[in-house]
Amino acid sequence: MKKLKRVIACTNTLTILYDQDGAEKITGIWIDLANMVVTSKTFATDIRDAEQFAREKKIPELTIIPYSPIYRNGYGDDRYLVGAADALRFYRGDDVDDMMIKLAPYFPQPYQADLSLKVIDFDLLGNQAILYLGKPDIESYDGDGWDEAPYEFYADKVDDTYIADAIVLNFPADAFVYQASAYQDACPELGLDGSVSKNTLHRKKIPCILYCRDGKTYGEIYFDDVIGDVMKEADVLVSKLEQLA
């Protein structure tokens, strides 16, 4: 039996640690972004309390809250939300194989986007890169706050009138995935100057997403990239973006 030991969550990208025959093992999964993930660390301001409570099974190690319009306008108090009647709860020592069966309906499902569409906006939640796509002939597009820097504080997503589709690139938990605001200080050659607007990223052809998988596979995603090329290079599970929780 595989016994659950700990869950490390980066948004909805989960690293599962479990015990099998006395040896600690690890696996990674994703939960579709339409659902909310809560770990034991949510329940206490002191991480030591959370660890103790989870060990004593007073609180779940992992809670999945299926999408509901009730949660659409903000998470509110997580401790209240984990009381949701339809939530899935998993505790230390639970059978991981049984847990995976129960979680399966909440995994991202493969999706085939129109390969001719172009990247017109992005977001990054954990290791799940959201790409908003426009029609192949689109030349100009923007959204509220796109001239303001830093974009992560001021820019909304691209205006809905330009969006033809929206997908998620689900990178493995052990991959390194960055958006522009995270790597700008480490890459002075990009000339980001500490902050940047989305229009600057677009105009100067600065990558909006960078990733590294297996320590060998590197990639960059830019505004106006053709999504078929992006998907081929990234070679990861692609799912459709549903409403975010």
Side-chain angles (χ1 to χ4, degrees):
M1 177 178 170
K2 302 174 183 176
K3 294 184 178 181
L4 178 63
K5 291 186 69 175
R6 186 168 300 144
V7 177
I8 301 170
C10 186
T11 313
N12 283 27
T13 306
L14 307 184
T15 300
I16 311 294
L17 287 79
Y18 61 93
D19 180 88
Q20 185 175 18
D21 299 327
E24 183 174 276
K25 298 191 176 183
I26 187 171
T27 189
I29 62 171
W30 308 280
I31 298 298
D32 191 275
L33 289 170
N35 307 288
M36 181 179 171
V37 171
V38 182
T39 67
S40 60
K41 306 305 179 288
T42 303
F43 288 84
T45 54
D46 189 325
I47 194 170
R48 292 169 297 183
D49 290 342
E51 177 65 23
Q52 178 182 341
F53 295 159
R55 203 165 47 238
E56 296 173 351
K57 300 187 180 182
K58 292 180 179 178
I59 58 174
E61 178 64 22
L62 173 66
T63 303
I64 305 297
I65 302 175
Y67 172 79
S68 168
I70 294 173
Y71 313 133
R72 185 65 184 95
N73 294 321
Y75 289 170
D77 189 309
D78 291 339
R79 289 165 293 185
Y80 168 76
L81 292 181
V82 293
D86 55 354
L88 283 75
R89 300 173 185 83
F90 304 96
Y91 294 81
R92 298 271 179 99
D94 281 0
D95 185 334
V96 171
D97 287 334
D98 181 60
M99 171 180 162
M100 292 300 183
I101 292 172
K102 292 177 179 177
L103 286 176
Y106 303 95
F107 293 161
Q109 299 303 308
Y111 174 68
Q112 181 59 60
D114 180 339
L115 301 182
S116 68
L117 299 179
K118 293 164 58 174
V119 176
I120 59 171
D121 200 6
F122 68 97
D123 199 358
L124 183 64
L125 297 175
N127 274 24
Q128 293 168 293
I130 299 172
L131 299 179
Y132 297 96
L133 310 177
K135 293 181 179 179
D137 58 353
I138 193 170
E139 294 183 359
S140 63
Y141 47 87
D142 61 12
D144 290 343
W146 275 40
D147 284 321
E148 303 296 323
Y151 72 84
E152 61 268 32
F153 294 147
Y154 298 110
D156 290 336
K157 73 175 173 62
V158 67
D159 192 282
D160 288 342
T161 57
Y162 301 113
I163 299 175
D165 203 353
I167 63 171
V168 181
L169 302 186
N170 298 275
F171 288 93
D174 59 355
F176 295 97
V177 190
Y178 305 95
Q179 59 175 312
S181 61
Y183 65 72
Q184 56 194 16
D185 294 333
C187 303
E189 68 276 9
L190 295 177
L192 298 185
D193 237 6
S195 66
V196 66
S197 69
K198 282 192 173 179
N199 277 336
T200 299
L201 288 176
H202 186 191
R203 186 174 60 254
K204 290 190 174 182
K205 294 294 181 183
I206 297 169
C208 48
I209 299 284
L210 279 80
Y211 60 85
C212 172
R213 294 189 299 109
D214 306 322
K216 298 181 280 189
T217 305
Y218 297 87
E220 300 174 347
I221 302 174
Y222 297 79
F223 280 105
D224 294 330
D225 275 356
V226 176
I227 196 58
D229 297 336
V230 171
M231 291 167 56
K232 182 178 180 180
E233 183 177 6
D235 191 25
V236 296
L237 173 66
V238 176
S239 56
K240 184 174 178 60
L241 178 69
E242 305 295 349
Q243 267 190 310
L244 293 182

